[in-house]
Amino acid sequence: MRLSVAERREELLRAAVEQIEARGVAAVRIADVASALGVSNALVLYHFATKEKLVAAAFTHAAEGDLDRLRRILGRRTTALRRLRAAVRWYAPTGQAKGWRLWIEGWAAALREPALQEVTRNLDRRWKAAIAEVIAEGVAADEFRCPDPAGTALHLTALLDGLAVQLTSYPGAVSRARAQEWVDETLARELGLEREALTASAR
């Protein structure tokens, strides 16, 4: 079956993400993506022109997928506390979010690639804005206390990203169970809740 331009682009981006996760940004080649799909290098270059543009587009693709998932979680018809806890649990390195190896690769490569830096910065900015918004909703509904939703969103993001590095780059440095305990404890403290109240919100 002949793919449309959009379908082919989507297929190439998925393959690029997989190859970056497997090989790393520095080592991945146009030929690796082409070979994974059984297509020519020329076809990949027709859609993306350079490896740099392919890599930036692949990270954008992965970022938008994660942000779509976050929007679905935060859009549920339930309390702000339940939505917030679900989002944090999903995003945490102990949850079902993005392949953290991919994003650690992206952060490292972004130090040298301005286009990739903008992709990772945009993802970070939009994630924190969404979390701050649902925290503000919870405060307005008197579900919990938080004098600085934006600050709490930053604190949570820093904790989750740091734990992702520990769990992904240094296996055995911290257990998944302990990492989840720290996430729950931090979230409860930031919201002025007992941890038991936070846990009960998931039931």
Side-chain angles (χ1 to χ4, degrees), residues 59-79:
F59 276 99
T60 299
H61 176 74
E64 290 300 331
D66 280 355
L67 288 166
D68 283 345
R69 174 64 175 156
L70 177 63
R71 281 191 289 269
R72 288 196 296 273
I73 292 172
L74 296 182
R76 293 173 181 169
R77 297 173 68 104
T78 186
T79 65

Side-chain angles (χ1 to χ4, degrees), residues 37-61:
L37 294 174
V39 300
S40 67
N41 290 3
L43 178 65
V44 180
L45 290 168
Y46 170 78
H47 285 275
F48 297 101
T50 67
K51 172 190 164 177
E52 290 72 24
K53 288 182 178 179
L54 173 62
V55 167
F59 276 99
T60 299
H61 176 74

Side-chain angles (χ1 to χ4, degrees), residues 169-201:
S169 301
Y170 311 115
V174 58
S175 71
R176 291 170 65 87
R178 188 65 178 124
Q180 190 60 64
E181 286 177 13
W182 287 339
V183 171
D184 285 346
E185 288 169 1
T186 300
L187 182 57
R189 185 168 57 251
E190 289 284 338
L191 302 181
L193 299 172
E194 295 296 327
R195 187 180 170 200
E196 293 71 19
L198 183 71
T199 305
S201 73

Side-chain angles (χ1 to χ4, degrees), residues 36-165:
L37 294 174
V39 300
S40 67
N41 290 3
L43 178 65
V44 180
L45 290 168
Y46 170 78
H47 285 275
F48 297 101
T50 67
K51 172 190 164 177
E52 290 72 24
K53 288 182 178 179
L54 173 62
V55 167
F59 276 99
T60 299
H61 176 74
E64 290 300 331
D66 280 355
L67 288 166
D68 283 345
R69 174 64 175 156
L70 177 63
R71 281 191 289 269
R72 288 196 296 273
I73 292 172
L74 296 182
R76 293 173 181 169
R77 297 173 68 104
T78 186
T79 65
L81 181 57
R82 285 188 176 184
R83 286 180 286 143
L84 179 60
R85 186 171 187 272
V88 169
R89 281 227 157 197
W90 166 74
Y91 183 89
T94 55
Q96 300 299 314
K98 63 179 78 106
W100 279 102
R101 187 174 301 276
L102 173 73
W103 288 109
I104 291 170
E105 281 282 344
W107 294 335
L111 295 174
R112 298 175 297 278
E113 295 288 344
L116 193 51
Q117 184 178 90
E118 182 53 35
V119 171
T120 57
R121 181 179 295 165
N122 184 50
L123 171 62
D124 181 69
R125 182 170 54 244
R126 291 165 68 186
W127 154 262
K128 286 187 289 194
I131 292 299
E133 182 178 347
V134 76
I135 291 172
E137 289 176 14
V139 171
D142 203 27
E143 293 182 34
F144 46 74
R145 301 183 305 279
C146 181
D148 183 10
T152 290
L154 175 57
H155 188 183
L156 288 171
T157 301
L159 173 65
L160 296 172
D161 290 349
L163 286 173
V165 172

